[in-house]
Amino acid sequence: MNSKLLMLLAAVLLTVGATNVYAQERSGDAINGSVTLNIKLHQIQSLVVNHGKVELVYDTKDAYNKGVSSKQGDHLTVFSTGGFKVIASTTTDLVNGDNSIESADIKLIASVGSENKLGAEVAKTIEKLTSNTGEVNGHTLIESDKGGRDLKFNVEYSAQGEDAYINKYVKGENPTVYTTTVTYTITAQ
């Protein structure tokens, strides 16, 4: 009796298995099936600021006369799936206690850094770094309609000459330091 039950069970399993195979479409002797394949791309952007401190040093008569600059090589590293903008902003002037230097005195010049295959036209110049610009949260420093991985950009910071700061030194401080924070933001283009 056990062998009859086993044979009946085997017959049922074979019938169910054969039904599943033949449930797919038949075309001649071939069996066809299909699947929907999706590739889902998400927007991903990252921005890394290298060199966390930039110093513009007025330590000679010539520096006060001609102004100073500091070029930061590969200062910004961008990853973006598709076009992007990098915006630079500051919320305050450069301050030292009750004294200040206008942030509009600061000029930023971007250029394409090492191993960056984007054209030079994506890098912009900000003539006056101000916090009230009319643009969303600052000035556009870099703008590209293409994305990429590990896109490096140089940024040169410069400040005025023509003795603009000759009376900004505070007696007893050596040196007198004026400070603000420049914030970089990446957005989709």
Side-chain angles (χ1 to χ4, degrees):
M1 186 146 130
N2 281 342
S3 64
K4 285 184 180 182
L5 186 59
L6 264 154
M7 286 177 62
L8 179 63
L9 183 60
V12 168
L13 288 175
L14 274 171
T15 305
V16 170
T19 304
N20 284 341
V21 170
Y22 288 107
Q24 299 177 2
E25 293 180 28
R26 273 186 83 65
S27 173
D29 291 333
I31 298 173
N32 296 323
S34 63
V35 63
T36 300
L37 173 64
N38 297 320
I39 295 177
K40 294 184 176 184
L41 304 174
H42 292 268
Q43 179 184 15
I44 298 175
Q45 293 181 310
S46 72
L47 173 67
V48 176
V49 179
N50 304 302
H51 324 292
K53 185 192 299 185
V54 177
E55 295 185 342
L56 300 176
V57 180
Y58 288 81
D59 57 356
T60 65
K61 292 191 304 183
D62 201 40
Y64 280 94
N65 184 37
K66 293 183 179 177
V68 296
S69 66
S70 177
K71 185 173 184 176
Q72 304 295 306
D74 293 343
H75 189 47
L76 305 175
T77 303
V78 170
F79 176 95
S80 182
T81 54
F84 65 95
K85 271 186 184 183
V86 174
I87 297 168
S89 64
T90 183
T91 56
T92 64
D93 288 334
L94 292 94
V95 294
N96 173 290
D98 293 334
N99 303 310
S100 66
I101 295 174
E102 289 185 29
S103 59
D105 288 358
I106 306 301
K107 179 178 182 177
L108 301 178
I109 303 169
S111 60
V112 175
S114 67
E115 301 176 29
N116 187 332
K117 294 181 175 36
L118 293 180
E121 71 279 357
V122 303
K124 311 289 182 197
T125 297
I126 297 173
E127 293 292 337
K128 295 180 180 223
L129 182 63
T130 59
S131 57
N132 184 11
T133 65
E135 250 190 88
V136 177
N137 298 324
H139 300 277
T140 299
L141 184 64
I142 302 163
E143 186 171 20
S144 176
D145 59 356
K146 295 178 181 165
R149 172 182 297 280
D150 297 330
L151 301 171
K152 293 183 175 38
F153 294 92
N154 308 317
V155 178
E156 182 176 350
Y157 297 76
S158 62
Q160 292 188 359
E162 300 177 7
D163 297 331
Y165 309 131
I166 204 160
N167 290 309
K168 294 289 186 174
Y169 173 78
V170 176
K171 182 179 178 183
E173 295 181 4
N174 196 18
T176 299
V177 179
Y178 290 82
T179 303
T180 192
T181 300
V182 177
T183 301
Y184 292 97
T185 305
I186 187 169
T187 63
Q189 179 69 345

